[in-house]
Amino acid sequence: MEFKDYYVVLGVDPTVDDKAIKTAFRKLARQYHPDVSKHPQAEAKFKEVAEAYEVLHNAEKRAEYDELRENRSRRQSHQQQGRQSGASGSSQHGFAPGGQGGFEQSDQDFSDFFNSIFGSANANENGFQYESRRGRAESSAQKGRDVEIEFPIFLEDTLADAVKPIEYILPYQDSQGYRQEMKKSLKVKIPAGVADGERIRLKGQGTPGSGHAPHGDVYLHIRLVPHPLFDVEGHNLTIALPLAPWEAALGTKITLPTLSGKIQLTIPANSQSGQRMRIKGKGLVSKTGTGDLFAVIKIVMPNHADETTKQLWTQLADKAKFDARAEWNTEPNKERNKEWSNQP
Amino acid sequence: MIQLIISEVNPQLNVEEFCHCASISETLLHELVEHSIAVPVAGVHAHEWLFNITTVSIVKKATRIHRDLAIDWAGIALALNLLDDIEKLKVENEHLKKQLSRFCGE
């Protein structure tokens, strides 16, 4: 087991007082707290820092840890001397405190290293407790812990009631106080119209309560899976509708995909890029009704043009008499340019 | 056999349910309401309050920050508002970037 130097983790000298330890912890906690930090390893870093603080801010634990730390450094220097004098050295690797006693089951938040010194039960008895550490064994009856699970769902599956299978692992403490896990498989009815960020409660499906208290609940945190074609705006959907320039100019009929199947859509002549066409009732289902689908026109040029096509474009350019940049020469723009050109 | 579970979407919780869910005392809930960290969706008097389930995660976040970073409730209310604003801007930015790539991308 790898030895953890808690002083290094907090970036403090082993001789510093409790106040300096607290200051170092607060600084790192602000940097890595999972609720405020965007650091990719924020949670792991924070746990490491919290574990170090847990030990070093408690006089008793700090004294115990310091003793182990000193013993280790004495052993290391002894081994080094042994090696230097040609001895084979001991087979010890890393750190094995307490005659390798320790606990088979590690505490879910503190490292094996911590548990091997202070025991997993000890981790739950002191001041600092992280979220998942709240579910300590209590002698009195107490309702089990609630569990929150991220639940990704496809847009298509929100249109009507759906039954979805779900599997999850529930941690719990057995009567001996050891951490155990149980696997649960359920089928859940997901009602039509669930939205991103909503929570679905599954009563009594959380961790078992202590004594005769009821189980906790499970909360499914709904996450809508991004769709390759549709974007969500409230309960409306948008889709980019690519059109060839001649389709936009002359109008056409196209087949448009919607969440509930394909439909025919008539594109009027002289359609503009960016124009939104509303298809009523083809959005997402919500409590206040069904949203709409907006097809946003995007005029797309062909990648290559052969000689004939080029000639036809040239003919069109000659006959159309169209200035695509006419708005650059409007009066307000001219006035503005004049006004700003007179500035010193 | 796999059990079929009946679910409730966004249930509203009374004070007792809310306090259990968020692992806080009723006294603390009053303080959090005072600072608008927890906002009841219904009920004029404290015993009539109902809270949206999504408020539980806000309150849990607030209590974690209070405990781990030693920030007072007024500071946490401000921090949560700012974090919420950042989150909304991030979502909006992602949405606009996606739209931009749909309309301007290859």
Side-chain angles (χ1 to χ4, degrees):
Chain A
M1 192 185 310
E2 197 189 339
F3 181 85
K4 287 197 173 193
D5 193 329
Y6 291 140
Y7 292 104
V8 172
V9 171
L10 289 187
V12 292
D13 192 84
T15 56
V16 297
D17 61 6
D18 196 42
K19 203 177 160 197
I21 283 171
K22 200 173 199 170
T23 307
F25 168 71
R26 296 281 180 232
K27 192 179 164 200
L28 290 167
R30 276 198 301 276
Q31 195 177 344
Y32 294 119
H33 198 281
D35 286 316
V36 295
S37 173
K38 296 297 162 206
H39 193 281
Q41 271 100 42
E43 193 165 345
K45 280 267 191 192
F46 181 72
K47 279 183 180 173
E48 204 179 14
V49 167
E51 182 178 309
Y53 182 63
E54 172 71 23
V55 174
L56 299 185
H57 92 291
N58 177 308
E60 217 174 289
K61 279 187 183 153
R62 186 176 176 184
E64 200 177 337
Y65 173 76
D66 283 349
E67 200 183 322
L68 287 165
R69 191 170 175 273
E70 237 170 82
N71 286 343
R72 178 180 177 269
S73 100
R74 263 201 300 273
R75 269 200 308 272
Q76 275 183 338
S77 78
H78 184 71
Q79 281 170 9
Q80 213 166 9
Q81 281 168 6
R83 271 198 296 275
Q84 280 166 358
S85 63
S88 60
S90 79
S91 60
Q92 183 180 359
H93 294 287
F95 183 66
Q100 307 216 12
F103 283 72
E104 288 296 311
Q105 296 269 334
S106 66
D107 179 74
Q108 62 192 52
D109 292 301
F110 287 138
S111 67
D112 288 347
F113 172 72
F114 177 98
N115 293 328
S116 69
I117 306 171
F118 304 108
S120 58
N122 202 352
N124 290 334
E125 284 167 5
N126 38 55
F128 182 86
Q129 293 171 342
Y130 194 54
E131 171 72 22
S132 51
R133 216 169 292 141
R134 289 197 189 121
R136 71 184 87 172
E138 300 265 350
S139 53
S140 59
Q142 196 181 26
K143 190 184 169 190
R145 273 177 57 211
D146 297 333
V147 176
E148 188 164 306
I149 300 170
E150 291 266 318
F151 193 76
I153 186 163
F154 291 116
L155 295 183
E156 293 88 334
D157 292 337
T158 66
L159 296 181
D161 290 353
V163 174
K164 294 272 162 198
I166 174 172
E167 278 190 359
Y168 55 99
I169 306 282
L170 274 184
Y172 71 98
Q173 281 186 321
D174 65 16
S175 52
Q176 307 293 313
Y178 284 102
R179 184 172 177 265
Q180 304 285 358
E181 287 182 342
M182 70 168 97
K183 188 176 169 185
K184 290 203 76 164
S185 301
L186 304 172
K187 276 186 177 171
V188 182
K189 189 182 163 202
I190 307 289
V194 286
D196 199 50
E198 284 189 329
R199 273 136 177 110
I200 292 180
R201 175 161 66 177
L202 311 177
K203 253 195 149 155
Q205 299 303 323
T207 59
S210 59
H212 295 291
H215 286 223
D217 302 327
V218 164
Y219 289 92
L220 302 180
H221 187 184
I222 299 292
R223 285 284 174 219
L224 293 181
V225 178
H227 195 283
L229 293 179
F230 303 105
D231 289 329
V232 179
E233 287 178 2
H235 56 275
N236 294 328
L237 294 172
T238 59
I239 183 171
L241 167 54
L243 289 178
W246 48 89
E247 287 177 324
L250 306 172
T252 185
K253 278 195 167 121
I254 60 136
T255 304
L256 181 79
T258 75
L259 269 189
S260 54
K262 292 176 177 173
I263 60 164
Q264 292 297 309
L265 184 68
T266 304
I267 310 294
N270 297 317
S271 289
Q272 288 285 359
S273 202
Q275 194 175 318
R276 285 159 74 93
M277 300 182 71
R278 184 167 81 149
I279 300 100
K280 232 178 161 218
K282 289 291 178 187
L284 295 176
V285 174
S286 76
K287 278 125 212 151
T288 51
T290 306
D292 303 326
L293 170 64
F294 289 89
V296 187
I297 292 172
K298 173 188 180 183
I299 295 173
V300 183
M301 286 295 294
N303 284 333
H304 303 287
D306 57 21
E307 265 318 301
T308 322
T309 313
K310 272 184 193 165
Q311 278 171 18
L312 288 169
W313 281 122
T314 312
Q315 276 179 38
L316 180 63
D318 290 343
K319 301 237 163 148
K321 291 193 171 50
F322 170 61
D323 181 3
R325 291 162 297 284
E327 68 175 43
W328 289 1
N329 300 315
T330 55
E331 281 310 310
N333 269 336
K334 279 185 185 166
E335 283 300 314
R336 179 185 153 277
N337 292 342
K338 208 167 137 189
E339 187 185 327
W340 281 89
S341 61
N342 291 336
Q343 295 287 323
Chain B
M1 204 177 102
I2 298 176
Q3 202 183 348
L4 176 65
I5 302 297
I6 302 302
S7 54
E8 305 160 73
V9 179
N10 284 343
Q12 291 187 347
L13 309 177
N14 63 30
V15 170
E16 194 188 338
E17 285 175 312
F18 187 88
C19 288
H20 171 78
C21 230
S23 311
I24 58 166
S25 67
E26 217 177 302
T27 318
L28 178 56
L29 177 61
H30 284 250
E31 197 168 353
L32 297 180
V33 170
E34 214 172 282
H35 284 96
S36 296
I37 292 171
V39 181
V41 288
V44 180
H45 305 290
H47 65 277
E48 303 165 332
W49 283 344
L50 288 176
F51 295 88
N52 196 318
I53 186 68
T54 48
T55 311
V56 171
S57 48
I58 297 170
V59 163
K60 279 187 171 180
K61 189 188 259 193
T63 51
R64 282 194 300 263
I65 294 174
H66 179 67
R67 182 195 61 212
D68 300 339
L69 304 183
I71 301 176
D72 64 20
W73 295 117
I76 287 170
L78 177 68
L80 288 178
N81 278 345
L82 294 174
L83 287 171
D84 192 44
D85 285 348
I86 292 172
E87 196 51 42
K88 280 182 189 152
L89 288 172
K90 266 178 67 181
V91 169
E92 194 184 342
N93 192 33
E94 279 305 308
H95 179 73
L96 291 173
K97 269 161 99 175
K98 204 170 161 189
Q99 292 256 301
L100 201 62
S101 72
R102 283 200 199 283
F103 291 103
C104 302
E106 288 298 302

